[in-house]
Each structure stands twice: as C-alpha cells, then as structure tokens.
Amino acid sequence: MDKAIITLTKGGMKIGVKLLSAIDEAVLYVHPKFYIEGENIKKIHGKMFDFTGEIFHQYRCLIFIMSTGIVVRSIAPYIKDKKTDPAVLVLDEKGKNVISLLSGHIGGANDYTKKIAEILDANPVITTASDVNESMAIDTLAMALDYEIEDFSDATKVTAHIVNGEKVGIVSDIAIDIELPNNVTKIDKEHVDKEFKGLIYVSEKSIKKPIGIDCVVLRPKNIVFGIGCRRGKSEEEILKAVEETINDLKISKKSIKHIATVDIKKNEEGLIKAAKSLKVPLLIVEREDIKKVEAQFEHSEFVKKQIGVGSVCEPVAFLTSKDGKMIQKKKGYDGITIAVFREGE
C-alpha cells in the first residue's frame, strides 16, 4: 500500500470508502467511532498528532478528509525535505474541494489532486506558481525525464525565471523530447549569452557554469560501471577506485545508473556495500551470458581458468547498458578492474 486515506468524521468516512474503491494500493483509516468492517479499513489509534507521526513516512501519499487546520498542525513537526516528504492532500468531508498541500511536484501531490478531483467531480486546488501559470518547474521537468537535480536551490532560482516569463535556455547532451514553455529554448554551448536569465544543463559531465546567470544541472542516469575485483576487496577500496574513475572521466557520481559484476562475485561484501553507499543497484551477470560476448573484449586466460570467463568488467557493463558506448576500457586499480559505458539515448 502506498496511499493512506485518513478521516475523523462520519461524512469523511463515506468519502473515504468511495475513494478506497476507486484508487489502487490504498488503505482507509477512520475514527474508531465511525469504523466499519471492510477490506483495507483500519482504526485510527491514539491522538491524531501521534498517529500522523507514525504513518507520515510509511506512505507515498496521505489523503486527509478533514479541516486544513487540523492537517497542518498534525504534519508540521514531521515535515523535513521535499525530496523525501510524502504527498499530502486535504479534502473537505463533502468532497467539494481537493487541495494539494505538500510535495506538489516531486511527491506528486498535484497529480494525485487532479486524479481524485476527477473521481469525485470536485474542484482541484493547486497553488504552485508553475501550475497556476501553466508553465513548468524544474522538478517537474526532472521527474518527466527521470533525471536527478544536482542542487535544489539552483532549481528554485531557474524555475522562478521560467514562471516569470523570462528567457531560459537548455543545454543538453541528450535529445529532449518533451513540450517546453515558449520562454524555454534549446540551445548549444556556443549560444549562451546574457539574454538568458537562467540555464538548464542536462549532462553527466562536469559543468563549468557561466558567471552572472542562474544555472541548474540535471543529471541523467546513463553511466554504467562494470567492476571486477579480487576476493576480499573492501568497500573503501572499491569506492576509491570509483571516485578516481569519475575524476578521470570528469563525470558526475549522480549519473551512475548501476554497477554490474559477474555472478561469482554476487556475495562480495565490498561490492555490495559500495553499491549501497552509492545508492545504486548492483546487477549480477551470469557467466553463460558473458561467454556469448567476451570475444569482443580483451580477455585473460589466467582469469578464465579461475572463474570460467576471461573478462568481467567490460562485458558486464556492455550487457547491462542500453546500446551503450564504452567511455573507459578496462582499467586496473590494485586488484579492482573498472570499465565504464554510457547508455545510448
């Protein structure tokens, strides 16, 4: 379950039951006084303030059917960061208005609001400037493209320029197939000048920002690391090798999509911990699959005698990248080998 509907009144309970039957992956919490038996219907226990704290980070979306004042007071102590806070919506118990209260873009509250308003034939209340002006926010763009914002304070500044109708340019190493506001223009690096109030860079590469223009960098997840290592290599050693590779290639750590390795290394503690530290998946490639492509890469007879295949880091990166292009051949780092592929568009 990723959505929780919470209500305190009999009227709210009726709206909640209607929503519960219309949306997927939801649970309905009702005041014990108005509890009815039903699938995915539960009682609110304890005080509203404490109960809200218990469930605040259990769900991606919290839908409160009660006064906005109660909701604001209940959620206030638990709000931390828009990158991690859940979407919060507020409905009146007649189902006339649906308010996007918290995490409108990144949390998806604005989209949830529109969907629920359609279900209830209600009035969607959305106050974010980019939506009101039918414009675009940087976090909305990043979500649509599945890219990561490097600095949210930069995103806020550039979004303000977009919403205010000022000229903003996009400099991208990747083709962007998405409708843009009229004041947002795709440009190349040679055409960056002072007429632009803001710039959006889309790249895995290190960016040198021009002085005097507000800039935000969006990082695509398009870099694949293939890693082989001797048994017992530590998390610290592997991370040091990854960091050295990143610096050599002048790319961003935020653009790493995943690490790949061979099946015989699937329980290698250093690799597992390094992937966790980098917050990326560790993909395991079977040796039988490597054998099908290893002739394309340099291989070692010694390694083949040891594990059954003569190459690891290059073929596993190749096999787990989408039409990838090698941007670093196999390179050794004291018992660790790394190859890097950039995924195709």
Side-chain angles (χ1 to χ4, degrees), residues 299-312 330:
H299 57 277
S300 161
E301 287 301 319
F302 174 77
V303 173
K304 191 164 188 174
K305 287 178 182 178
Q306 299 297 310
I307 65 171
V309 291
S311 181
V312 171
K330 179 177 73 175

Side-chain angles (χ1 to χ4, degrees), residues 8 11 37 41 43 79 91 95 100 106 117 143 159 184 195 225 230 233 239 300 337:
L8 297 172
E37 292 285 343
I41 301 177
K43 297 177 184 178
I79 298 172
L91 285 69
S100 174
I106 294 178
M143 285 180 65
T159 295
V184 179
E195 68 176 306
F225 271 62
R230 285 203 304 258
K233 281 295 176 180
L239 289 175
S300 161
T337 58

Side-chain angles (χ1 to χ4, degrees), residues 216-247:
V216 62
V217 181
L218 303 186
R219 297 298 188 186
K221 294 286 186 182
N222 63 343
I223 298 297
V224 173
F225 271 62
I227 301 182
C229 66
R230 285 203 304 258
R231 185 184 302 170
K233 281 295 176 180
S234 69
E235 172 191 0
E236 291 74 22
E237 290 174 299
I238 293 169
L239 289 175
K240 182 180 177 182
V242 169
E243 194 70 41
E244 189 174 328
T245 304
I246 285 169
N247 292 336

Side-chain angles (χ1 to χ4, degrees), residues 2 21 38 51 53 66 71 103 122 169 178 215 219 233 246 254 270 275 280 291 310-311 316 323-324 328 339 344:
D2 63 2
S21 65
F51 173 74
M66 60 190 71
V71 177
S103 296
I178 188 172
C215 303
R219 297 298 188 186
K233 281 295 176 180
I246 285 169
K254 291 181 182 292
V280 298
K291 288 176 183 178
S311 181
V316 297
D323 299 320
Q328 177 178 289

Side-chain angles (χ1 to χ4, degrees), residues 138-239:
I138 296 299
D139 44 9
T140 304
L141 175 64
M143 285 180 65
L145 298 172
D146 196 23
Y147 296 165
E148 184 169 345
I149 298 170
E150 188 164 80
D151 188 317
F152 276 81
S153 62
D154 291 340
T156 300
K157 294 173 186 176
V158 176
T159 295
H161 291 305
I162 297 172
V163 172
N164 291 331
E166 296 167 328
K167 198 166 183 180
V168 172
I170 293 185
V171 181
S172 179
D173 292 335
I174 298 170
I176 295 177
D177 185 20
I178 188 172
E179 187 175 351
L180 299 170
N182 293 331
N183 60 321
V184 179
T185 308
K186 296 176 186 177
I187 58 174
D188 57 44
K189 295 173 185 176
E190 285 70 35
H191 289 87
V192 175
D193 55 46
K194 296 297 181 182
E195 68 176 306
F196 292 99
K197 296 295 184 180
L199 290 172
I200 305 165
Y201 287 93
V202 181
S203 178
E204 77 279 358
K205 299 173 186 173
S206 299
I207 300 295
K208 186 177 180 181
K209 300 176 183 177
I211 298 172
I213 304 177
D214 290 323
C215 303
V216 62
V217 181
L218 303 186
R219 297 298 188 186
K221 294 286 186 182
N222 63 343
I223 298 297
V224 173
F225 271 62
I227 301 182
C229 66
R230 285 203 304 258
R231 185 184 302 170
K233 281 295 176 180
S234 69
E235 172 191 0
E236 291 74 22
E237 290 174 299
I238 293 169
L239 289 175

Side-chain angles (χ1 to χ4, degrees), residues 276-307:
K276 188 174 182 180
S277 177
L278 292 167
K279 298 179 181 177
V280 298
L282 176 63
L283 303 190
I284 306 301
V285 180
E286 299 296 324
R287 278 166 287 181
E288 290 304 313
D289 292 325
I290 292 176
K291 288 176 183 178
K292 297 171 185 177
V293 300
E294 68 175 336
Q296 301 176 39
F297 307 99
E298 293 181 14
H299 57 277
S300 161
E301 287 301 319
F302 174 77
V303 173
K304 191 164 188 174
K305 287 178 182 178
Q306 299 297 310
I307 65 171

